[in-house]
Amino acid sequence: TCMTGAEEGAGVIISKDRGETWQAHGLVVARVTTLIEGSVVELNNSTLFMVFRTTTGCLFSAKSMDKGHTWTNAQPMPIPNPNSKVHLMKMEPHGELVLAFNNHRPPGGYRGLKGCKACRTRLHLAISVNDGEHWRHIYSEDDELSSAAVRVHYPCVYQIEKSGKVALVYSRFYLGRKRGLDSLDQGIRISMVDLTKELPRQRELQKAVDAEEAAAAATAALAEAQAHETQE
């Protein structure tokens, strides 16, 4: 979002000449919130998937099927967001999505933190193995709650080559003057997270869930067909 006097919204800028020139595309809006600090990945089917920081207490997302030129309407996700930046990354070679985020709602808001008025904490990782349709929590980095208003935020997550290991980089500081002026427990942090065993486990979990849902759908369809035959 840029305050230029134009219609406010989110999108992408695309370069077709290796960064020499850029062109803005897409106008993603949501009536209930601003959409800022978008993080985008290309899914295995070439769809672009972007998630946004919002003011509603949860993340929003949108998709583009034409390389970012047009986008779907932004929709809320079942992932909390205290109006803080997130980072989305696609793992190679299978395409799992890893999301770094603050796993709570805004302090003082609905189901928000208590006793930590200005905190950004609970820096966690979540994973999706089906292109963002379902998410599972897989890692907790920092869960401190402090009256000095700890800020564990602005994460970036990067895959180490094509291994199952990722580097989680983030900022940590205290907003309150009491500890914010002299605490040494502040600065840019880097944490190495090994997901080598977790990635295949999550893929197998999702296969089991998909099989259960398919079986339930088949059972429901059979019951409906039998009921229809009985009525005839």
Side-chain angles (χ1 to χ4, degrees):
T1 302
C2 182
M3 301 304 179
T4 62
E7 185 176 0
E8 184 174 324
V12 295
I13 54 174
I14 299 173
S15 174
K16 297 181 179 180
D17 53 14
R18 296 181 178 274
E20 292 294 326
T21 60
W22 295 85
Q23 180 67 44
H25 290 279
L27 181 62
V28 188
V29 296
R31 290 183 298 174
V32 296
T33 180
T34 55
L35 304 170
I36 64 173
E37 295 179 347
S39 185
V40 60
V41 296
E42 184 175 11
L43 304 178
N44 286 342
N45 64 1
S46 298
T47 296
L48 297 184
F49 178 62
M50 184 155 51
V51 298
F52 303 96
R53 166 183 172 176
T54 78
T55 59
T56 64
C58 65
L59 294 178
F60 273 55
S61 67
K63 291 184 177 181
S64 172
M65 276 63 76
D66 57 8
K67 300 295 183 180
H69 289 80
T70 61
W71 292 81
T72 63
N73 293 330
Q75 300 294 331
M77 299 173 62
I79 296 180
N81 179 246
N83 193 15
S84 64
K85 177 187 177 296
V86 301
H87 188 239
L88 180 66
M89 180 200 66
K90 185 177 83 169
M91 298 286 290
E92 298 292 346
H94 297 291
E96 302 95 342
L97 303 183
V98 175
L99 178 72
F101 68 113
N102 292 108
N103 193 6
H104 63 90
R105 294 179 183 273
Y110 173 68
R111 296 182 65 182
L113 297 176
K114 296 181 180 179
C116 197
K117 185 176 181 180
C119 286
R120 285 179 181 167
T121 183
R122 295 179 181 166
L123 183 59
H124 294 174
L125 297 181
I127 190 171
S128 173
V129 297
N130 57 358
D131 292 339
E133 293 298 321
H134 301 94
W135 294 89
R136 296 186 184 91
H137 173 273
I138 56 171
Y139 177 76
S140 299
E141 171 66 18
D142 194 325
D143 290 327
E144 179 181 341
L145 295 176
S146 169
S147 60
V150 65
R151 292 291 183 103
V152 186
H153 59 172
Y154 283 91
C156 290
V157 60
Y158 300 95
Q159 185 176 12
I160 305 302
E161 296 179 341
K162 291 188 178 181
S163 71
K165 298 178 180 180
V166 299
L168 175 61
V169 185
Y170 59 96
S171 168
R172 190 184 201 284
F173 75 97
Y174 292 99
L175 189 64
R177 296 183 62 183
K178 183 177 180 180
R179 297 187 65 182
L181 294 178
D182 54 14
S183 174
L184 298 179
D185 191 19
Q186 302 182 108
I188 302 299
R189 299 291 181 87
I190 302 177
S191 181
M192 303 301 296
V193 184
D194 191 348
L195 302 178
T196 303
K197 295 181 180 180
E198 190 64 36
L199 295 175
R201 190 179 81 87
Q202 291 295 329
R203 291 195 296 268
E204 289 303 315
L205 281 174
Q206 192 59 52
K207 286 181 182 179
V209 170
D210 292 343
E212 289 179 2
E213 291 180 348
T219 300
L222 178 60
E224 182 178 355
Q226 292 174 339
H228 183 70
E229 290 177 358
T230 302
Q231 292 175 356
E232 291 182 348

